[in-house]
Amino acid sequence: MSVNVKGSRDKKIAVMLLGLLLLGLIISANLWKSSLRVKTITVEGNRIVETNEILQLVQIQRGSLMYAVDLTALQRNVESHHYIKSATVERDLPSTIKVTVGERKPIALVNGPEMVYLDDEGVVLPHSISKALFDLPLISGIPGSVPLKLGSAVEQEDVLEALEVLRTMKLVNREQYYQVSELQVRTGGDLILYTAEGGVPIIFGRGAVADKLLRLEAFWNNIVRDRGTQNLQYVDLRYEDQIVVRWKSAPTTMKNS
């Protein structure tokens, strides 16, 4: 039985050379990565917060070593902004740090000791932070005892239900949402909407939000668009399967078909 010693030795040499080649490639790649420097910082996803404001939170000097950048720390810095709900910070080789943000979007205005915004989760946001302007419904009637601390969520039940009404309205019918100028909360009592056109009170009551909004939409499209709001005194949505309406002449009850 003969053994091919030369062939076995050649295979070992080939494996060693391949290993050395791979090691060289790894070393070269690490040396290349360790020499990369930040040339560009990009920001995506922002509409409310100015790009320059986010760049100030990033706090990276151009020319810094790419792999010396602490991405987690940068993410925390960006998310410290009241209007930033989430942030992702990534290396985009060879020379870019990419920041992608998700913003908190105001859904209502609260005029308390200080004017603030609320997003759809009830998080309190500062009133003015950029050139972006918000034409939003006002939530009134919030007791002074309810804390409105920036960055914290309001937990009062009346306010949360008011936000549910506005959130559902904006989702189902944005035009209807923008027709609301004010939503009044009364502790433990009915919610009352006021229209932007004519200031017509709409007694919303509590609960059954989607059903009431559908009834209101049908009434507005079928009746109010033709007759206008000038003679409309109030709309009452508190009764199941009907809308009670008072015009300047006489009250009217409209049942769902």
Side-chain angles (χ1 to χ4, degrees):
M1 180 177 178
S2 61
V3 178
N4 190 344
V5 178
K6 184 176 183 301
S8 176
R9 186 173 62 247
D10 289 344
K11 287 181 180 179
K12 290 181 180 179
I13 293 173
V15 169
M16 291 177 58
L17 290 175
L18 181 59
L20 289 173
L21 178 61
L22 290 174
L23 180 61
L25 290 174
I26 293 171
I27 293 172
S28 298
N30 285 333
L31 288 173
W32 176 74
K33 288 170 61 177
S34 66
S35 67
L36 296 178
R37 295 185 178 273
V38 177
K39 295 181 180 178
T40 307
I41 304 167
T42 64
V43 178
E44 297 179 0
N46 59 314
R47 186 185 67 86
I48 298 169
V49 185
E50 299 289 337
T51 297
N52 286 338
E53 194 168 355
I54 296 175
L55 291 176
Q56 290 176 6
L57 293 171
V58 172
Q59 296 179 346
I60 300 177
Q61 295 293 329
R62 287 174 173 78
S64 301
L65 291 172
M66 285 283 287
Y67 280 86
V69 174
D70 186 337
L71 300 183
T72 302
L74 295 185
Q75 178 182 342
R76 285 198 300 266
N77 289 346
V78 175
E79 290 179 346
S80 69
H81 196 289
H82 290 307
Y83 274 81
I84 302 298
K85 185 175 183 178
S86 63
T88 302
V89 184
E90 304 169 290
R91 297 182 182 90
D92 188 6
L93 301 181
S95 58
T96 299
I97 295 293
K98 180 180 177 181
V99 182
T100 306
V101 300
E103 295 178 314
R104 294 193 176 276
K105 297 178 175 60
I107 196 172
L109 178 67
V110 176
N111 192 5
E114 294 184 5
M115 195 170 287
V116 294
Y117 291 117
L118 298 179
D119 76 351
D120 60 3
E121 296 177 344
V123 175
V124 182
L125 304 171
H127 174 245
S128 180
I129 61 121
S130 72
K131 297 176 182 177
L133 299 176
F134 304 105
D135 183 16
L136 301 177
L138 171 71
I139 295 182
S140 62
I142 299 177
S145 59
V146 175
L148 296 173
K149 182 181 177 182
L150 293 180
S152 297
V154 177
E155 297 181 354
Q156 208 235 15
E157 183 179 348
D158 299 303
V159 178
L160 293 178
E161 186 156 355
L163 289 172
E164 182 187 357
V165 172
L166 294 176
R167 182 171 59 246
T168 305
M169 188 178 287
K170 190 173 183 180
L171 180 65
V172 173
N173 188 337
R174 292 180 71 88
E175 181 182 357
Q176 190 180 60
Y177 166 77
Y178 287 113
Q179 287 173 351
V180 175
S181 65
E182 182 180 348
L183 197 164
Q184 183 182 50
V185 300
R186 297 187 292 179
T187 304
D190 295 321
L191 301 176
I192 302 178
L193 307 174
Y194 292 89
T195 64
E197 181 183 352
V200 178
I202 300 173
I203 306 171
F204 198 86
R206 306 292 288 263
V209 172
D211 175 66
K212 290 176 180 178
L213 291 177
L214 289 174
R215 280 189 278 141
L216 178 62
E217 180 182 8
F219 167 68
W220 216 263
N221 290 338
N222 296 329
I223 306 297
V224 179
R225 287 192 188 280
D226 291 335
R227 297 184 60 172
T229 60
Q230 62 273 13
N231 294 318
L232 184 57
Q233 291 189 331
Y234 71 78
V235 178
D236 194 338
L237 299 173
R238 291 176 295 176
Y239 305 97
E240 187 176 356
D241 295 330
Q242 63 182 5
I243 299 177
V244 176
V245 181
R246 178 177 288 275
W247 300 92
K248 287 188 177 178
S249 55
T252 304
T253 299
M254 301 185 61
K255 292 186 178 182
N256 284 2
S257 57

